Each structure stands twice: as C-alpha cells, then as structure tokens.
Amino acid sequence: MSRDEAVYRGYRRAELELLYSHRHRIEGYDGYLERWPRESATARERLDLIPDVAYGRRAAERYDVFPAGPRAPVHVFFHGGYWHSQDKHGFEFMAPAWVARGAAFVSANYPLCPTVTLPEIVESCRRCLAHVHDHAATWGGDPGRVFVSGHSAGGHIAACLVSTGWEDLGRGRPADLVKGGAAVSGVYDLEPMRFLEVNDTLRIDGATVRECSPLRTVPRTAGPLLLAVGTGEGEEFARQQRDHAAAWRSAGLECREMVLDGENHFSIVDGLAREDAELFAAVFALMEA
C-alpha cells in the first residue's frame, strides 16, 4: 500500500498520525506530565489511602482506594497512555476533590501492551470493576453506586465497561453493576489505530476492532454515559465522540455530550480534579442521579 493512499475516511497515514497525536498541538505538553505525579504524591500523603489492592494475578492488576466514609458512592478512574504507558500514580491528584464531595476515589492500573493484547486489557479492567463491586463495602464504599470514568485510552476502557453485560460474567452480579460512566477524550472506533505507528506496540487487528470498539458493541441496555472532548483536540476526536453518541442514542440509551471550549487533550483532565470545573460537576451530577 502506497504511503500516499487513503487508509481511513479519506485520510493518509501521515494525516492520521497528526490527527491522533497531541504533542504538536499542546503548548507545555511536558508540564502536565511533571505536575500530575507531583500533585498525586501530595494527595497520597494527605488522604486516607488503601494502596495496591490486587484484583488479578498480574503485577499491574492493582488499584488504590481513597475512602470517603460509609456508604459512599465509588468513582473508579482508568488512566490514558495509548494502552501502553502511564500509571495510576500519575492521576491521583483527582482524589481530593472527589473525597471532599463524599465519593470514594479508586485509581486503577491495568496491564499494558505489548505485554498483553487490547482484548486482554479490557477483560482485566472488567475484573477490576467486578472486584471493586465485590469488596467496596469493606472500605466503606457502596457497591450499589459504582461509577467509572477514564481519559483517552482510559476513555475507551470506560466506554467498554459501561457497555459490559455484567450478568453474563457470572457470580450473580447485577446487570447494572456499573451505574454509569464518563469517557473523556476517548477513542470509540479502533479502526484508525491500525494505521498508526503505535500499532507496532498495540497489535490491533480487524478482530480486535470488531471486539473492542465501543462504537461497534453498543449494548441493548446500560446506564447513562457522559462523553467529553475539548475543542483543542482535533476533528477526529470530536468526530469519534459524535459518532459514538449518535450510536448510543440510536439504541435508545442515555448519552450526554460535552464539548469543552479551549480544552486540549491534557488540560481537559484537570477538569476532573476541580470541584468548580464544568466537567467535574457533570460527572458528579451523573453519580447523584
């Protein structure tokens, strides 16, 4: 296939690389990656913390819990990093705002590519949510109010988890184990990932696209879904969100879209850490409802 040949929605490979990369469009990109771990370390020092709860056999199958008192709703967050990088410890700067509002905050790790495949990542994250549900009461969380969110690759994961048929996984878990979720700056159709350089690491093929694209696996029933993207993230991320919201609504499911003015692929994450932020308020309202 020629490098000048269109491979996806009329785009050539080089064009897709620019559309799905963010470093070139974010001024001070490295500043986020330096600040978030520093603020997260402060949160771990100041808040009650139950670290590294194991939900599986792999070393990466761990989550941190920031409790918020008895019968608290539970907010489980999955980090981004294109399914092959980053760690829960870089995103726990969000915890203080959620705990202050009375919600337990869970920051989850999951195994990364290329050690595992993307379908294995999704299954691992499902085990994580099931474990949180089964054990929430031991640290004061309400197993009847488990919600999920994620950013970027984590947004994809969150969308997969909201779409999961939990009753099919056995052990008598409720069909609505996840009461709702928020996917921020997510990828909902994995097809363009096949043509990016990062796919040398991800190894996404046609079967993975069909199995793990939330856009192609819309459920019959599910809790409400919130989708958020920034105006500074480029047309493909905005288009992915529009398409997924349309598919969700076509199935008769509840979906709210947010397009946040001036936010880029990284600045949008700060909106999950500030009680006065529009994104925080929207996710909290989802949990209250």
Side-chain angles (χ1 to χ4, degrees):
M1 181 180 292
S2 169
R3 291 182 60 85
D4 293 328
E5 185 177 343
V7 293
Y8 178 75
R9 297 181 65 87
Y11 295 116
R12 298 186 296 273
R13 290 177 185 268
E15 292 172 323
L16 283 178
E17 290 287 350
L18 288 174
L19 288 166
Y20 281 91
S21 173
H22 295 281
R23 288 177 181 266
H24 69 285
R25 69 175 87 241
I26 299 177
E27 184 177 354
Y29 173 94
D30 292 334
Y32 295 99
L33 299 180
E34 295 169 358
R35 174 170 58 84
W36 289 345
R38 184 172 65 249
E39 294 179 355
S40 295
T42 300
R44 288 192 296 275
E45 292 173 357
R46 294 181 177 178
L47 297 176
D48 291 339
L49 169 64
I50 304 172
D52 291 322
V53 179
Y55 67 86
R57 297 179 179 178
R58 295 186 177 99
E61 293 181 316
R62 302 288 186 272
Y63 60 80
D64 292 347
V65 180
F66 296 84
R71 304 299 294 175
V74 180
H75 178 184
V76 185
F77 177 80
F78 290 88
H79 66 79
Y82 254 138
W83 303 279
H84 73 91
S85 67
Q86 301 297 333
D87 179 87
K88 59 182 168 65
H89 285 163
F91 298 87
E92 294 176 345
F93 65 94
M94 302 175 190
W98 292 99
V99 172
R101 292 298 294 271
F105 185 82
V106 175
S107 183
N109 263 358
Y110 49 89
L112 301 172
C113 298
T115 302
V116 297
T117 64
L118 202 144
E120 288 175 312
I121 289 176
V122 173
E123 282 305 309
S124 177
C125 293
R126 286 173 176 150
R127 287 195 298 274
C128 177
L129 260 291
H131 193 278
V132 168
H133 171 270
D134 293 351
H135 295 84
T138 65
W139 37 263
D142 184 350
R145 291 190 292 166
V146 176
F147 298 83
V148 62
S149 74
H151 168 251
S152 196
H156 161 267
I157 290 168
C160 289
L161 295 172
V162 176
S163 299
T164 295
W166 294 96
E167 71 280 12
D168 297 333
L169 300 183
R171 294 191 61 182
R173 295 189 180 98
D176 62 344
L177 183 150
V178 175
K179 293 300 187 289
V184 180
S185 308
V187 174
Y188 310 109
D189 181 9
L190 296 174
E191 179 66 16
M193 302 295 102
R194 297 176 61 194
F195 306 106
L196 304 183
E197 289 183 8
V198 72
N199 202 40
D200 291 343
T201 299
L202 303 180
R203 297 171 295 163
I204 293 173
D205 57 15
T208 300
V209 170
R210 293 187 295 273
E211 178 184 350
C212 296
S213 292
L215 182 62
R216 299 168 188 246
T217 56
V218 177
R220 292 189 298 275
T221 61
L225 177 65
L226 170 68
L227 302 175
V229 70
T231 57
E233 300 198 63
E235 172 53 28
E236 264 299 279
F237 276 80
R239 195 272 309 165
Q240 287 252 4
Q241 174 164 300
R242 290 194 302 269
D243 286 358
H244 192 48
W248 200 263
R249 294 182 184 125
S250 294
L253 301 171
E254 181 181 348
C255 181
R256 177 185 175 186
E257 285 186 87
M258 299 180 71
V259 180
L260 298 172
D261 189 44
E263 301 291 0
N264 62 49
H265 193 70
F266 272 28
S267 68
I268 196 171
V269 181
D270 284 328
L272 288 172
R274 301 195 326 268
E275 292 184 67
D276 62 346
E278 183 181 1
L279 180 57
F280 183 100
V283 179
F284 190 80
L286 181 77
M287 295 176 66
E288 283 190 312

